[in-house]
Amino acid sequence: MDKRQTVVSTANQQQTLTTSQGMPVDGNQHSLTAGPRGPILLSDIHFIDKMAKFDRERIPERVVHAVGAGGFGHFELTHDVSKYTKAKFLNGVGKQTPICVRFSTTLGERGFSDLDRDPRGFAIKMYTEEGNVDFVCNNTPFFFIRDPLKFPDVIHSRRRNPQTNIRDPNMAWDFISLNPESIQNIMFLFSERGISDGYRHMDGFSAHAYKWVNAKGDSFLVKYHIKTDAGVKSIAPEDSVKIEQRTKDYSAEDLWNHLGSGKAASWTFFIQAIPEAEAATYRYDVTDITKIWPHGDYPLIPVGKFVLTRNPSNNFAEMEQVAFSPGNICPGIELSNDRILQARVFSYPDTQRHRLGANFEQIPVNCPMYGKIHNYQRDGPMRVDGNQGGGVNYEPNSLGGPVEDPSTAAKPVAVSGHAMRNLYANTGDIDMEQPRAFWERVLKEESKKYLVNAMTKSMRTCRPDIKQRMVTLCTNVHPEFGTRLKTALENVDAPKL
Ligand code: NDP
């Protein structure tokens, strides 16, 4: 049985009210006082227990992706992909694996509108027989930066001004105008798809290349595309403003009501796969997360379905405490040299240890569902799983402790070169090729107008030098794009260029 279903509501069963130690509570409306007008007594154990718990209700909010919602369901393998991977949950057509999914926005603090123009998170935890495997995706197939050393900077620039605590478009556009590799993500974000109509109507992308390895040891660089079966749908900015007057939780509400009414939400999972040897000479650097792989070069290969069928039983227990990491992989799925992926593999568990504690894997939603954990790790705050009982806690040992399985080792990776702050080699006009294709081939006239209009609105109060740099950057993408942006910026009610 799905362990998570054991968290059931007892609201209708008229249980006796207790303290957190289980002692029956005699009264919950009036404090224990010395006489009707006297002070509260320290011996009001229930009052102190209740207030102390309340005082500690908040845990640190996620540093990004604080606003979110999700649910539970399963992944079903619909196609044979044994040619690409030996991962057990991806072998055996028809096999189902339980999943937990959390959608989110990126920048907003808890309580912020979930209709913000912002990349959406789309994180999936699969409880496989080889441990938890997470796909920690976004609804954009690329990212703003390709070196993680800039990650805090890109997030700071799009957040609040440190002095005024107000979001400052100067900061965001200053950063972008000085990072040409961001432009493809910006064009997606300021297109119609930048404001998804809820979480059910958006796609998810790994954006990273992972490495998949089959049973023979053949390896492939693989990107994930998780396409909504409900169709991509967006909300016009003027409509989102109206909705935000009623609720800041539109996307969460839509998902809750949909799953709550007994309907399922589903996505089809595709991959793009490049044989590893071919990847080395591919025109685009496969470790560069600011690039897609054109579908014409590597078409989508169907794999399976992600299906959500039920809401969480409790938001804090499951959605607030769920802890994802792109480093949660299994034999047959390995990391690539994508620098952002490598950094996330460190950063996600690092932030979970800070946010949830050293033993965050023991929180039920994060526990591997199949089999127990066997290792030599012990103790730490909130160790609640029995701490592996009387099992031996060191290795080597002669006591029959758990042993390694060398057959699960990752494929050896050849490395060469100098240890130094290496630049990405393949940059320059190649960074403009894909945004140019997006402008020339993908965007229809209406979408081009929308894009220029949305960027202009966001940039209208920016300093002239920032606007000028953005016009130059967009001109490098396509002269028509640059000219249209320049004209639009000159015609909004703001300082001229
Ligand atoms: P294709 O024509 O094969 O694919 C275009 C892609 O763009 C499709 O995935 C499509 O999604 C998506 N798209 C269509 N309209 C919009 C929009 N308004 N906003 C955002 N995405 C949209 O071309 P290529 O594969 O050669 O890619 C060309 C450009 O398309 C890329 O440079 C990139 O900017 C963009 N793109 C490419 C993706 C890829 O993985 N190849 C993924 C997403 C965007 P749908 O099928 O749902 O309409």
Side-chain angles (χ1 to χ4, degrees):
M1 192 178 96
D2 180 342
K3 276 192 211 159
R4 274 135 291 275
Q5 285 178 348
T6 58
V7 186
V8 292
S9 165
T10 53
N12 299 323
Q13 293 174 17
Q14 291 285 284
Q15 307 274 16
T16 300
L17 181 69
T18 69
T19 64
S20 48
Q21 294 287 343
M23 181 180 85
V25 170
D26 63 316
N28 194 33
Q29 303 301 310
H30 310 287
S31 306
L32 200 63
T33 58
R37 297 192 176 202
I40 293 178
L41 300 177
L42 198 56
S43 53
D44 192 344
I45 293 165
H46 169 52
F47 168 76
I48 291 169
D49 178 56
K50 186 174 175 179
M51 283 308 291
K53 279 285 181 306
F54 176 71
D55 293 345
R56 290 162 178 76
E57 277 182 2
R58 290 290 163 267
I59 60 173
E61 85 172 23
R62 288 173 166 90
V63 67
V64 283
H65 298 279
V67 175
F72 295 87
H74 65 267
F75 167 71
E76 179 169 346
L77 185 71
T78 54
H79 290 73
D80 180 8
V81 287
S82 56
K83 177 179 162 194
Y84 302 105
T85 179
K86 62 185 176 192
K88 288 191 179 154
F89 79 101
L90 292 170
N91 274 266
V93 172
K95 189 181 273 186
Q96 291 197 353
T97 303
I99 60 170
C100 169
V101 174
R102 183 176 182 272
F103 305 101
S104 54
T105 55
T106 308
L107 296 175
E109 304 86 358
R110 275 185 199 141
F112 205 88
S113 167
D114 62 18
L115 279 184
D116 202 17
R117 184 182 294 285
D118 199 14
R120 305 288 194 263
F122 187 156
I124 306 170
K125 186 178 289 298
M126 285 164 276
Y127 303 95
T128 87
E129 60 204 284
E130 296 176 291
N132 291 348
V133 175
D134 295 351
F135 289 178
V136 195
C137 302
N138 277 340
N139 73 331
T140 55
F142 18 62
F143 198 53
F144 296 104
I145 51 167
R146 55 189 159 216
D147 194 303
L149 206 49
K150 294 182 182 180
F151 190 81
D153 303 296
V154 66
I155 297 297
H156 285 173
S157 76
R158 303 187 57 235
R159 279 247 164 94
R160 295 171 190 274
N161 181 302
Q163 183 179 21
T164 62
N165 199 33
I166 298 167
R167 280 197 188 178
D168 183 351
N170 278 296
M171 292 164 54
W173 290 107
D174 190 27
F175 182 91
I176 297 299
S177 69
L178 296 167
N179 279 274
E181 68 268 30
S182 305
I183 192 66
Q184 181 155 229
N185 208 25
I186 285 293
M187 289 173 75
F188 189 105
L189 187 60
F190 283 83
S191 79
E192 292 95 328
R193 296 194 188 190
I195 311 179
S196 299
D197 185 349
Y199 298 129
R200 292 186 297 117
H201 292 285
M202 64 182 210
D203 296 336
F205 302 91
S206 63
H208 301 296
Y210 274 85
K211 190 194 291 179
W212 282 17
V213 183
N214 69 17
K216 289 190 287 181
D218 306 323
S219 47
F220 302 82
L221 275 299
V222 169
K223 286 202 191 219
Y224 308 157
H225 298 250
I226 300 168
K227 307 205 53 110
T228 172
D229 293 331
V232 171
K233 225 169 117 189
S234 305
I235 293 192
E238 54 277 19
D239 293 337
S240 75
V241 170
K242 280 188 210 141
I243 294 169
E244 281 167 337
Q245 286 166 359
R246 180 182 68 78
T247 178
K248 300 274 186 274
D249 305 317
Y250 171 85
S251 307
E253 231 176 65
D254 171 72
L255 184 66
W256 180 271
N257 291 339
H258 184 82
L259 298 179
S261 70
K263 293 184 205 131
S266 68
W267 286 259
T268 303
F269 174 35
F270 300 88
I271 55 167
Q272 285 179 296
I274 311 183
E276 194 174 6
E278 203 172 303
T281 54
Y282 184 41
R283 170 164 185 70
Y284 299 112
D285 181 343
V286 294
T287 70
D288 179 348
I289 195 180
T290 65
K291 303 280 181 298
I292 51 97
W293 301 341
H295 292 139
D297 291 354
Y298 295 99
L300 298 184
I301 301 162
V303 179
K305 286 262 181 217
F306 290 103
V307 185
L308 285 184
T309 50
R310 73 171 176 87
N311 280 315
S313 307
N314 179 278
N315 182 66
F316 182 87
E318 295 172 330
M319 290 300 125
E320 190 62 16
Q321 294 198 110
V322 64
F324 298 97
S325 169
N328 289 346
I329 51 181
C330 67
I333 301 181
E334 298 177 9
L335 306 178
S336 73
N337 290 344
D338 176 336
R339 295 184 195 184
I340 301 275
L341 175 59
Q342 304 236 331
R344 291 176 83 202
V345 164
F346 153 72
S347 185
Y348 279 64
D350 187 48
T351 194
Q352 312 301 1
R353 287 180 197 113
H354 161 65
R355 203 169 68 80
L356 302 166
N359 281 315
F360 70 89
E361 302 91 345
Q362 293 178 34
I363 297 168
V365 73
N366 298 323
C367 277
M369 194 176 286
Y370 296 98
K372 279 208 151 216
I373 301 297
H374 304 286
N375 57 34
Y376 299 98
Q377 300 167 17
R378 295 294 187 276
D379 308 351
M382 300 306 294
R383 184 92 206 199
V384 295
D385 66 347
N387 204 21
Q388 304 196 41
V392 55
N393 64 351
Y394 60 86
E395 193 184 30
N397 65 71
S398 56
L399 298 167
V403 292
E404 311 106 340
D405 177 358
S407 74
T408 63
K411 198 169 171 180
V413 179
V415 288
S416 64
H418 293 105
M420 55 183 281
R421 296 202 181 276
N422 282 296
L423 271 60
Y424 264 88
N426 199 8
T427 63
D429 190 59
I430 197 161
D431 288 332
M432 301 296 121
E433 275 184 12
Q434 295 184 357
R436 195 171 294 142
F438 190 54
W439 177 268
E440 279 180 339
R441 292 199 291 103
V442 179
L443 294 178
K444 306 273 180 302
E445 176 53 26
E446 276 313 299
S447 297
K448 287 181 179 172
K449 276 193 197 144
Y450 179 107
L451 171 64
V452 170
N453 190 28
M455 287 177 69
T456 304
K457 273 193 183 150
S458 172
M459 238 184 278
R460 61 193 284 276
T461 56
C462 285
R463 294 194 324 252
D465 62 305
I466 295 174
K467 289 181 186 167
Q468 185 55 61
R469 278 201 302 277
M470 280 310 303
V471 167
T472 305
L473 177 52
C474 295
T475 305
N476 290 342
V477 171
H478 197 285
E480 185 197 13
F481 183 22
T483 306
R484 284 200 192 192
L485 182 66
K486 183 170 191 292
T487 309
L489 284 169
E490 283 173 349
N491 287 306
V492 285
D493 180 21
K496 300 261 179 215
L497 289 186

